Amino acid sequence: MNLSKTASLYGIRSNGGFHGDVFTSPMVVRYMLDIVGYNVNSDLRNIRILEPSCGEGEFVIEIAHRLLHSAALYHFDANEAFQRNVRAYDIDERKIEHCRKRLTDIGISPSGKNLQVANFLKCKAEKTDIVVGNPPYIRYENIPKDMRDFCRCNYSTFHYRCDLYVPFFEKTLSLLSESGCHCFICSNRWLKNEYGKKLRHLIAKKYALKMIIDLEQSDAFQEEVLAYPSITVIKADKPSNKISYGEVRKVDELPNLQISKRDIPTDDDWTNIFSSISTNDTFKTIEQQGFKIGIGAATGADAVFVSCDLPEKVETELILPSINARDLRGNQFNWHGEYLLNPYNSDGTLVDLVNYPLANAYLEQHRERLSARHIARKSPAKWYKTIDRISPNLLTQPKILLPDMSGNTFVFVDDGLFYPLHNIYYITGRSSVQLRLLAAFLMSDFVRCQLSAVTNTMNGGFSRWQSQHLRKLRIPDLNAISEKDIQQILAFYECREISSINNKINELYG
Ligand SMILES: C[S@@+](CC[C@H](N)C(=O)[O-])C[C@H]1O[C@@H](n2cnc3c(N)ncnc32)[C@H](O)[C@@H]1O
């Protein structure tokens, strides 16, 4: 079998395709060329344009068509303009060959400078007025080690567990002419996560981010892939403080896209760009409304500290019924009967095991294992402490329980019977009724949409509950809701009628 170079470089995807080989649909290509101003009715004879990873030429062929059209309108030689101004690269010789053939078929004769078989990140490239394309998405673990090392040495944005498309941004941006314009369709993860931080920083400092179009739910590619794409437009201009934002579910909605203006955040966190709701009198964050967000206790040795048999093995005053994500799977509250051994006094100091002979005997059995934990190695005398301090009063507080990555649609409220473990985020504060009201909002599309905007969704489409995301959510001000509406929402919550909750929110907030 004659594998292409990208296949051998980055490996084969689970669907049989090659990592990094996803071609852009023609509608998206046309839209992107329109928004960068490479229009059929313009005089394109002197506009330099670059496609850094052209594949079989989805962009290049449309560029050639537009150039031919423009040449006919403005009377210039399309072949000569193409040779002078169009630059496209791909690491895969077969794709470049295919692209060359497609060009020849429409009357364009590309030179060796127009279509180059090269690793774009390593080659020397010329300045350009426009960059368009769809760079390869190659996850950190699939990038060959020598390429990772090269990127780390040569690209300042190659940070943390970076994807290969990030240095493609850095290099192509650096090639923009003074008023140049850059437009990629690419995974949107860099806009939200840690590995995109340095790229966001570079753009915030040196360029003007003009537009983001979120295509996360759409069919932007020629095959179905989990790519979370966005189109971004960046100009070689002074940084601006507003950007245009839009989202579409189908690519044929692109020409009639509704655009809104959003503030560009002043720090590294750009997730608010994706949230259409800002805090005001109607909407407030969870913490602004007097709730507290936390994560359950980590022990460093759940097999010792968490177990169903603890009531038979240690003193009753040292155990707390505990709950973990497994108990809340499939929208069911199904407690497996586990307890947490709490080695702390109420003032937060460690208990003296002399006073608890049963616990002493039990923990001594596991001493070797407990002492090997990092936390115990730091203070060997406290070898039986847990990573997080355990505060028994959390047990009796009513709390919302949010198991990370559960995919649940129902949000549980515990009335003060269980102690949450480390794979559960929890919200406490105010009253049990107010927590149920908040839980109803957390189940609604109103919150789920915000959540999928600020976090990267997991495969399967559900968003993760994590404290940094919970803190950003905007919730209707609970104090401003009438008693009648509260009772209605609570009734919908108890019956798990999410669609009625959604309707009520629409009725109240539009
Ligand atoms: C996502 S595809 C996009 C192809 C085309 N731009 C499109 O939108 O249809 C990415 C392309 O990048 C190419 N590629 C991967 N690594 C590359 C590299 N280091 N330099 C240049 N091209 C590369 C692959 O061969 C593949 O054709």
Side-chain angles (χ1 to χ4, degrees), residues 4-7 9-10 13 18-25 29 51-60 89-93 95 102 116-123 132-138 147 164 168 185 221-222:
S4 80
K5 196 159 180 183
T6 36
L9 248 186
Y10 311 124
R13 299 205 313 262
F18 303 143
H19 281 301
D21 278 13
V22 180
F23 301 138
T24 314
S25 79
V29 170
E51 214 299 25
S53 54
C54 67
E56 295 175 353
E58 298 315 310
F59 287 88
V60 177
Y89 297 79
D90 203 286
I91 202 164
D92 184 342
E93 197 176 340
K95 294 198 195 96
R102 287 174 81 188
Q116 300 188 38
V117 181
N119 181 338
F120 177 73
L121 296 174
K122 290 188 173 174
C123 72
V132 278
N134 168 13
Y137 321 156
I138 309 290
M147 188 65 188
L164 196 66
F168 269 80
I185 178 163
F221 300 116
Q222 294 185 16

Side-chain angles (χ1 to χ4, degrees), residues 166-182:
V166 171
F168 269 80
F169 266 93
E170 180 177 336
K171 178 155 182 178
T172 45
L173 283 168
S174 76
L175 294 170
L176 282 183
S177 62
E178 220 170 84
S179 53
C181 186
H182 185 284

